[in-house]
Amino acid sequence: MIEKALELAMRRAQGAEITLGEERSSNAEYENDLLKRVGATQTSRLAVRVIVDGRVGQAYTTDFEQVESTVQRAIELAEFGSEARFEFPGPPESVPAVKTFDAGVEQTSREELVALGGEMVDIIKLYHPEVKVSGGAGWSSGQRRLVNSSGLDITTQGTHFGGGVEGMWVRGTDMLFAGYFREWRRRDLDPKDLAGRTIEDLRHAENIATVATKEMPVIFTPRGVRVLTLPIVLGVNGKNVLKGDSPLAGKLGQRLCGEQFTLIDNAVVDYAPASGVYDGEGIPRRINPLVQRGVLCTFLYDLDTAGKAGTTSTGSGPGCGTSNLMIEPGDVSFADMLKSTEEGIIVESVLGLGQGNIINGDFSVNIALGFRVEHGEIVGRVKNVMLAGNAYDALNRIEAMGDRCEWSGASCAPYIKIASLSVTAKE
Amino acid sequence: MRERMQEALKNTGADYADIRIERAERTSIAFRGPELDHISSSSALGGVARALVKGGWGIVTFNDITDLRAQVLEAVACARLVGKEKTILAPVAPVQQVIPPPAMVRDFRAVPLAEKQRTLEAYNSLMLRHHEKIQTTSASYSDLYRQVYFANSEGSYFEEVRPDLTIGLNATAKEGDLVQRGIDSLGRPAGFEVAVNLEARAEEVAQRAIELLSAPPVQGGTYTCILNQKFGGVFAHEAFGHLSESDFVYENEQMRELMVLGRRFGPDSLNILDDGSIPGCRGTEAFDDEGTPTRKNYLIRDGVLVGRLHSRETAGKMGEQPTGNARAISWSHPPIVRMTNTYIEPGDATFDDLIRDVDLGLYACDYFGGQTMMEMFTFSAAYGYMIRNGKLAELVRDVVLTGNVFETLQHMDKFANDFTWAYAGGGCGKGGQSPLPTDLGSPHVRIQEVVVGGRQ
């Protein structure tokens, strides 16, 4: 079918790329302490991209009686398409040897998924009967074949296995959410660890601590660190650079932030969630150092954007986005970070990130889960507190980098302590 | 289709089962800066089978609709692993209806692609050329034609067509290192007739970005805030609407105590509703995705909690009436409790009545986005004006409001008489189903003691 589609496309187009993706998944979900649903999905999708008379057209379908008309539609759309300043790539000279598939994943039965989820839920229930627990486990397995008019014909397989748990505690008008999840491309879930960390947060949150409105040190957890990295992720996106939206444009080689900060886009870590041999356009994946010791190194490009910017793809296609985002650890343990903090806040999660003028670095967020530190100890959870600042400013005032990195989703980060940020408490 | 679906649902051994199949066609066009960023078209065909056995759900989604019975039986097998109790679903009279497609003045499927592209390009150019400090723009167009087929094991069957057209306009202005944005969007369940005559809005978007360049960031603190209609609508949706979604409440003792009907949430003048049956609004459907007719639902009436939003399951378990709020965004998702068109009813005051006695306050307008985590909300206004001595004063930027919904609703004290619907693009996100078309409506609203984030 895919060869026919390519042949049909090439009757009119000068270049074509056809991708056929198929995926199955299985999941078990718990809500409010109970097993709520068990399910499965089956997806098949065909994507067509063509270059006709120097312009790009794209069309997609999940209806396999529409293959021909999807190809036709892509060709029609090309007339109005953006100028193509790239060619579809041929077979590469070398590809990374990164692992993305584990046959054991699909062997996991529904009953096992139910048991995995149930184990985490039961552990949290033991902590406190008032905490309502949701969570679950699931896997997906798929393959993708990409064929293009430059002779590339690649088939890749991938699996994902994930699970997590979340506790919700309602006391009067106070609502608290704490939880952890793990996603990996092979089965590597430790239910006791995820449940244990959730309980640790719930314990710390038992007391509510008040906070003054002032500037103070802030420790971002490996999950909270996203507040600081989101602007960089947007800023290094080649499309944003090309279009002039990114404040990082023209600053390659310049110092962005403190020397302690190194941020890498790494698509070739075995079994990491966003790893791959190829990107979505058939370009081999690799390691792209974004910021090295505070200096801006690389922007990310797909074929089209690279063509327009006069450079080459970084294996970030389509879309110029990041893959696995990894921050290099420093040398300060979390325990020491805590001990050295007279008065400050720990930020685990925030509300309102991603709104406003993010790419500038500005953020103004509500702390969803955060803790107050006093005389080197966690004294309770903070509520109705806002955190405001600029990520680039903050990364120039790094007081300490944690010595151990933790994965959450496709992000691997340490604890990071910023010397001071603006904290606003509701009087 | 009806026969195939109903055959597949016969004698499956489940207490309840349903299938929803969708055919959808979408065209998307986007400009970034002066260049066309992409133009694409997608067609989808797929479905979801749900089964309920002893109160447990099995859910299977699929692209291959050739063997519907196999999909239903797999859903039943999944459900058997879950169910341990009784199946409880609020009763809904079976429906049998093929709903005629809504009349589009200009069916967007018949509009030539060249015209769609030209129309969007014109708006984009207006923004780009508006001022030399406009650094870049983004303009997007999307039209979606969804055909929904639904059948359940109780004999219900309906077909409904749900068109949706959205346009987004963004301009970025730059001065030195400072970058500011203007935004606007439109979303209607209508044809191409709503995509034209938006030139003035495109100019306004660019103008606002320019003006925000020389506006100071708002100073952090606690203020009397007046929300404009778009922002008031976001408030109703984000701060309160999500708390009304019964799937957060029905299996949770504490939440049920918190959200007890009859509890006072705000002043007598406060009324918040959700209504999925209003013609011309973006969240409107004849039936929800379980075959329940949509209708007007009071959530807060005269300041008191009187209702919530339900699926058949949440209604059944709470002993309340189903409300027509079980919605799914596409073929690949089961329905969950969602809002439709959520709004604050207008009052009698004028806008001047709201600001006249405010010595120092903030007029917060439009929105970049909103997010809620149960009692906490955070939303970013697109821009604001200080209110000084009863009058609108200087433009300010980076306006982010946050708070505790229970306290904030109590602090609403005046409602103007100038209600409008947002008819906006974007949509609502929940449970991985985003953006679901919804609408927001409100008059100007005044709220005392709102925490506004900012730099000291």
Side-chain angles (χ1 to χ4, degrees):
Chain A
M1 187 227 299
I2 203 175
E3 288 92 344
K4 279 215 181 90
L6 185 68
E7 193 253 330
L8 185 62
M10 289 306 288
R11 287 188 209 164
R12 179 71 189 88
Q14 290 77 52
E17 171 197 82
I18 317 274
T19 309
L20 177 62
E22 285 165 320
E23 190 184 85
R24 314 155 275 302
S25 82
S26 185
N27 57 82
E29 289 168 40
Y30 286 76
E31 265 172 37
N32 290 312
D33 306 344
L34 299 170
L35 179 61
K36 186 72 198 175
R37 67 186 71 88
V38 166
T41 72
Q42 170 265 320
T43 324
S44 321
R45 186 175 182 264
L46 185 83
V48 177
R49 198 156 61 134
V50 293
I51 300 178
V52 180
D53 301 332
R55 295 192 170 272
V56 184
Q58 301 173 71
Y60 314 88
T61 189
T62 64
D63 182 354
F64 291 88
E65 303 202 346
Q66 302 253 11
V67 174
E68 263 191 50
S69 63
T70 303
V71 173
Q72 291 307 340
R73 220 170 316 125
I75 291 171
E76 277 163 32
L77 288 169
E79 187 193 333
F80 306 96
S82 64
E83 212 187 307
R85 305 244 206 103
F86 70 96
E87 281 170 14
F88 291 113
E93 281 176 14
S94 70
V95 292
V98 57
K99 301 194 177 79
T100 59
F101 179 82
D102 176 37
V105 165
E106 261 189 273
Q107 307 305 319
T108 311
S109 68
R110 284 176 200 148
E111 288 82 352
E112 280 180 82
L113 292 176
V114 168
L116 259 178
E119 188 181 343
M120 290 186 281
V121 170
D122 288 344
I123 293 173
I124 311 278
K125 284 308 293 176
L126 286 177
Y127 164 69
H128 200 296
E130 271 179 26
V131 174
K132 289 294 177 182
V133 193
S134 57
W139 57 259
S140 69
S141 175
Q143 64 184 44
R144 192 188 67 190
R145 182 173 174 209
L146 185 156
V147 169
N148 72 22
S149 52
S150 302
L152 188 63
D153 184 347
I154 52 177
T155 300
T156 52
Q157 281 187 296
T159 48
H160 286 271
F161 197 98
V165 69
E166 181 181 70
M168 176 177 80
W169 200 349
V170 177
R171 289 170 286 178
T173 60
D174 176 45
M175 281 174 249
L176 161 67
F177 288 86
Y180 286 82
F181 75 98
R182 164 81 169 155
E183 190 199 332
W184 206 240
R185 301 199 77 155
R186 69 180 343 177
R187 183 169 163 175
D188 181 20
L189 202 70
D190 183 349
K192 291 187 176 60
D193 177 61
L194 295 174
R197 303 196 66 176
T198 304
I199 289 177
E200 201 182 323
D201 278 355
L202 290 170
R203 256 197 244 289
H204 284 137
E206 276 173 26
N207 299 321
I208 310 279
T210 52
V211 150
T213 292
K214 63 198 277 208
E215 304 248 331
M216 65 177 72
V218 176
I219 299 174
F220 290 92
T221 71
R223 288 142 305 276
V225 154
R226 200 169 153 252
V227 174
L228 303 173
T229 56
L230 183 57
I232 302 179
V233 165
L234 294 174
V236 299
N237 180 307
K239 270 193 167 160
N240 290 332
V241 172
L242 187 66
K243 296 297 177 174
D245 282 349
S246 169
L248 303 181
K251 294 190 175 157
L252 284 177
Q254 286 182 33
R255 173 162 299 287
L256 261 193
C257 46
E259 257 193 6
Q260 315 94 313
F261 190 76
T262 292
L263 181 69
I264 314 265
D265 168 64
N266 184 338
V268 294
V269 178
D270 285 341
Y271 301 114
S275 287
V277 176
Y278 300 92
D279 72 4
E281 304 183 296
I283 301 288
R285 294 266 206 188
R286 69 210 55 188
I287 297 173
N288 292 306
L290 301 174
V291 178
Q292 289 232 348
R293 287 186 292 287
V295 174
L296 179 64
C297 282
T298 313
F299 296 135
L300 297 178
Y301 290 100
D302 59 18
L303 284 169
D304 181 66
T305 315
K308 288 170 174 149
T311 179
T312 52
S313 165
T314 53
S316 313
C320 310
T322 54
S323 61
N324 300 306
L325 204 59
M326 304 179 68
I327 299 176
E328 274 185 19
D331 52 11
V332 180
S333 70
F334 175 61
D336 285 342
M337 252 185 224
L338 206 54
K339 256 187 249 155
S340 69
T341 305
E342 256 310 294
E343 181 190 16
I345 291 205
I346 297 172
V347 173
E348 162 73 15
S349 64
V350 302
L351 205 60
L353 188 66
Q355 299 165 20
N357 199 343
I358 327 152
I359 202 168
N360 214 23
D362 293 335
F363 61 85
S364 179
V365 293
N366 194 310
I367 298 178
L369 185 59
F371 305 99
R372 175 170 161 79
V373 179
E374 214 172 283
H375 308 313
E377 285 186 1
I378 296 176
V379 298
R381 172 181 155 231
V382 299
K383 277 187 57 173
N384 291 336
V385 171
M386 292 199 74
L387 189 67
N390 180 288
Y392 291 109
D393 282 348
L395 290 170
N396 268 303
R397 284 178 290 124
I398 296 174
E399 191 174 296
M401 292 288 288
D403 62 357
R404 258 190 47 220
C405 287
E406 295 175 21
W407 282 94
S408 81
S411 166
C412 188
Y415 285 82
I416 299 182
K417 181 176 176 185
I418 304 295
S420 79
L421 278 174
S422 157
V423 169
T424 304
K426 173 97 182 273
E427 281 108 47
Chain B
M1 188 70 90
R2 179 203 305 247
E3 290 74 37
R4 285 180 59 193
M5 291 171 81
Q6 286 178 334
E7 265 309 303
L9 289 164
K10 283 201 173 111
N11 301 321
T12 58
D15 299 333
Y16 169 87
D18 64 30
I19 305 174
R20 196 181 84 258
I21 290 177
E22 291 196 26
R23 257 185 225 288
E25 282 181 24
R26 183 196 290 273
T27 296
S28 310
I29 308 172
F31 281 87
R32 284 194 62 179
E35 287 181 27
L36 182 73
D37 186 63
H38 74 260
I39 186 165
S40 71
S41 163
S42 67
S43 63
L45 174 64
V48 52
R50 301 192 306 164
L52 245 191
V53 175
K54 292 201 177 117
W57 286 103
I59 300 186
V60 171
T61 69
F62 46 91
N63 277 132
D64 184 354
I65 65 165
T66 48
D67 189 348
L68 291 178
R69 186 152 181 89
Q71 308 289 3
V72 176
L73 291 178
E74 189 175 2
V76 176
C78 287
R80 285 195 199 285
L81 288 177
V82 183
K84 290 178 176 46
E85 320 171 325
K86 223 173 75 121
T87 286
I88 301 177
L89 283 181
V92 170
V95 299
Q96 290 284 329
Q97 216 175 337
V98 173
I99 297 148
M104 288 191 264
V105 173
R106 276 195 78 192
D107 189 330
F108 48 69
R109 293 174 300 167
V111 174
L113 197 54
E115 186 177 348
K116 292 177 185 177
Q117 196 241 13
R118 231 177 18 240
T119 304
L120 188 68
E121 184 163 27
Y123 300 142
N124 194 47
S125 299
L126 278 174
M127 293 192 290
L128 274 170
R129 291 192 314 246
H130 182 83
H131 193 285
E132 60 180 6
K133 290 195 182 135
I134 293 293
Q135 180 178 55
T136 192
T137 57
S138 84
S140 61
Y141 168 93
S142 168
D143 61 49
L144 174 66
Y145 194 84
R146 274 169 88 193
Q147 287 174 287
V148 177
Y149 307 84
F150 175 86
N152 71 16
S153 54
E154 293 169 356
S156 266
Y157 181 78
F158 78 83
E159 290 178 22
E160 185 170 6
V161 170
R162 297 172 184 165
D164 189 52
L165 188 150
T166 62
I167 290 185
L169 300 170
N170 282 253
T172 303
K174 188 169 182 185
E175 180 151 48
D177 274 339
L178 182 63
V179 168
Q180 289 297 310
R181 282 198 309 156
I183 57 159
D184 192 7
S185 72
L186 173 144
R188 301 298 299 272
F192 200 72
E193 67 277 5
V194 300
V196 298
N197 299 324
L198 300 176
E199 289 80 6
R201 286 172 77 160
E203 299 274 12
E204 254 180 68
V205 165
Q207 181 59 17
R208 186 158 334 108
I210 296 294
E211 285 176 10
L212 285 171
L213 280 179
S214 38
V218 70
Q219 185 135 4
T222 303
Y223 291 97
T224 299
C225 281
I226 279 96
L227 310 187
N228 79 346
Q229 294 98 328
K230 264 194 182 157
F231 207 13
V234 168
F235 183 85
H237 177 106
E238 289 296 341
F240 182 73
H242 282 295
L243 282 179
S244 293
E245 291 165 346
S246 295
D247 50 359
F248 278 132
V249 174
Y250 77 124
E251 275 168 346
N252 186 315
E253 280 308 311
Q254 285 113 326
M255 285 301 292
R256 285 173 90 138
E257 272 171 50
L258 204 54
M259 298 296 286
V260 67
L261 298 182
R263 178 177 175 158
R264 176 160 290 280
F265 270 68
D268 289 347
S269 43
L270 176 65
N271 297 286
I272 301 183
L273 297 87
D274 182 277
D275 184 348
S277 64
I278 304 176
C281 281
R282 198 150 171 247
T284 294
E285 293 156 356
F287 297 102
D288 74 5
D289 292 314
E290 289 185 317
T292 305
T294 56
R295 62 182 212 186
K296 179 173 179 171
N297 295 301
Y298 267 94
L299 301 176
I300 293 181
R301 189 172 205 160
D302 304 328
V304 171
L305 187 71
V306 297
R308 44 179 133 258
L309 305 177
H310 282 296
S311 64
R312 290 184 61 185
E313 184 182 27
T314 61
K317 288 188 172 174
M318 296 186 81
E320 294 171 8
Q321 292 298 310
T323 56
N325 288 85
R327 305 179 66 197
I329 196 173
S330 73
W331 65 267
S332 60
H333 293 278
I336 54 178
V337 179
R338 303 302 296 266
M339 288 177 264
T340 58
N341 307 303
T342 311
Y343 62 101
I344 299 177
E345 262 183 357
D348 297 321
T350 63
F351 178 71
D352 278 326
D353 292 336
L354 266 55
I355 66 172
R356 187 174 303 125
D357 54 356
V358 177
D359 289 333
L360 176 64
L362 178 63
Y363 177 39
C365 301
D366 292 4
Y367 64 102
F368 278 141
Q371 193 179 346
T372 190
M373 183 135 80
M374 298 324 294
E375 100 228 69
M376 284 196 298
F377 62 84
T378 297
F379 25 81
S380 301
Y383 59 101
Y385 290 93
M386 296 310 297
I387 301 169
R388 298 184 189 282
N389 303 317
K391 291 197 166 50
L392 289 185
E394 76 273 21
L395 181 72
V396 285
R397 62 175 167 95
D398 302 338
V399 177
V400 180
L401 275 62
T402 189
N404 176 301
V405 60
F406 303 108
E407 288 168 22
T408 306
L409 285 171
Q410 298 280 0
H411 290 146
M412 288 186 146
D413 70 350
K414 270 201 158 73
F415 303 88
N417 55 10
D418 50 10
F419 180 92
T420 62
W421 286 110
Y423 294 142
C428 176
K430 174 181 168 181
Q433 299 198 33
S434 176
L436 183 72
T438 54
D439 223 319
L440 317 163
S442 182
H444 277 99
V445 173
R446 188 169 82 182
I447 315 179
Q448 302 287 344
E449 293 176 40
V450 181
V451 173
V452 176
R455 326 275 181 93
Q456 268 87 38

